[in-house]
Amino acid sequence: MAPCLREAEIKATPSTIWKSCFAPMKWEMWDPDVDGTEDVSGDCVDGTTFVFVMKDGPIKKAKFQLTEVKECETVRFTGRLLGGLMKFDGFFEISAKDDSTSFVKYTFDMTGPLGSFANWAKPAAVVEGVEKGLENIKNISEKAEQT
């Protein structure tokens, strides 16, 4: 399976999206597969490391790092398990459409021998996770924009 890419138009500014979904480092608010985060080393900036506590599946905790962080524009989160047998790569791009609307692109991929197998064995789960995560980001951001 190729990386999963989904896009959304959100009635909120890039700043609102960033402040409500990324800056607080509370990804469990929008990521349907994450129960919480632990050992967060800093804010949403390049080099920050953290552990996702997963809701389901055989893997309960996975360490990630943020890179390519440009406030209100981009953020990449990458992680690996079992010596790289399973690798995760998620990337968000946020851009303004106009003064009150933004576009968000969310790309997610699992690679490595086990990641590729997981993509092949349960591709719907990956797609559903990306789609639900983006839907949650939209709902959280649009609500925040109204307050």
Side-chain angles (χ1 to χ4, degrees):
M1 181 176 138
C4 181
L5 168 64
R6 293 295 183 265
E7 300 178 30
E9 186 173 304
I10 300 176
K11 292 180 179 136
T13 64
S15 178
T16 297
I17 295 167
W18 190 264
K19 289 176 186 172
S20 59
C21 296
F22 298 104
M25 291 299 293
K26 299 282 187 188
W27 294 35
E28 65 274 13
M29 295 182 324
W30 59 263
D31 191 319
D33 299 316
V34 174
D35 224 6
T37 52
E38 296 179 349
D39 302 326
V40 179
S41 70
D43 295 328
C44 190
V45 297
D46 274 346
T48 294
T49 58
F50 56 97
V51 174
F52 276 144
V53 179
M54 309 306 287
K55 286 184 180 175
D56 298 312
I59 298 166
K60 295 300 178 194
K61 294 185 179 185
K63 188 172 183 175
F64 283 79
Q65 181 173 17
L66 300 181
T67 58
E68 298 178 52
V69 179
K70 293 181 187 170
E71 188 173 333
C72 303
E73 294 179 22
T74 62
V75 61
R76 180 178 300 278
F77 61 103
T78 55
R80 50 188 280 166
L81 293 168
L82 306 169
L85 291 175
M86 182 176 268
K87 298 175 186 176
F88 307 92
D89 184 9
F91 186 67
F92 284 94
E93 294 177 80
I94 306 166
S95 59
K97 176 183 177 186
D98 55 39
D99 290 344
S100 62
T101 308
S102 301
F103 288 116
V104 176
K105 291 182 185 179
Y106 179 17
T107 306
F108 184 80
D109 197 15
M110 291 191 301
T111 59
L114 291 178
S116 297
F117 178 75
N119 269 338
W120 173 81
K122 293 186 128 188
V126 174
V127 172
E128 288 168 11
V130 169
E131 289 176 348
K132 183 62 178 166
L134 194 52
E135 179 184 327
N136 291 341
I137 288 171
K138 177 180 171 108
N139 292 338
I140 291 165
S141 300
E142 288 180 349
K143 184 176 179 180
E145 188 73 17
Q146 294 172 356
T147 58

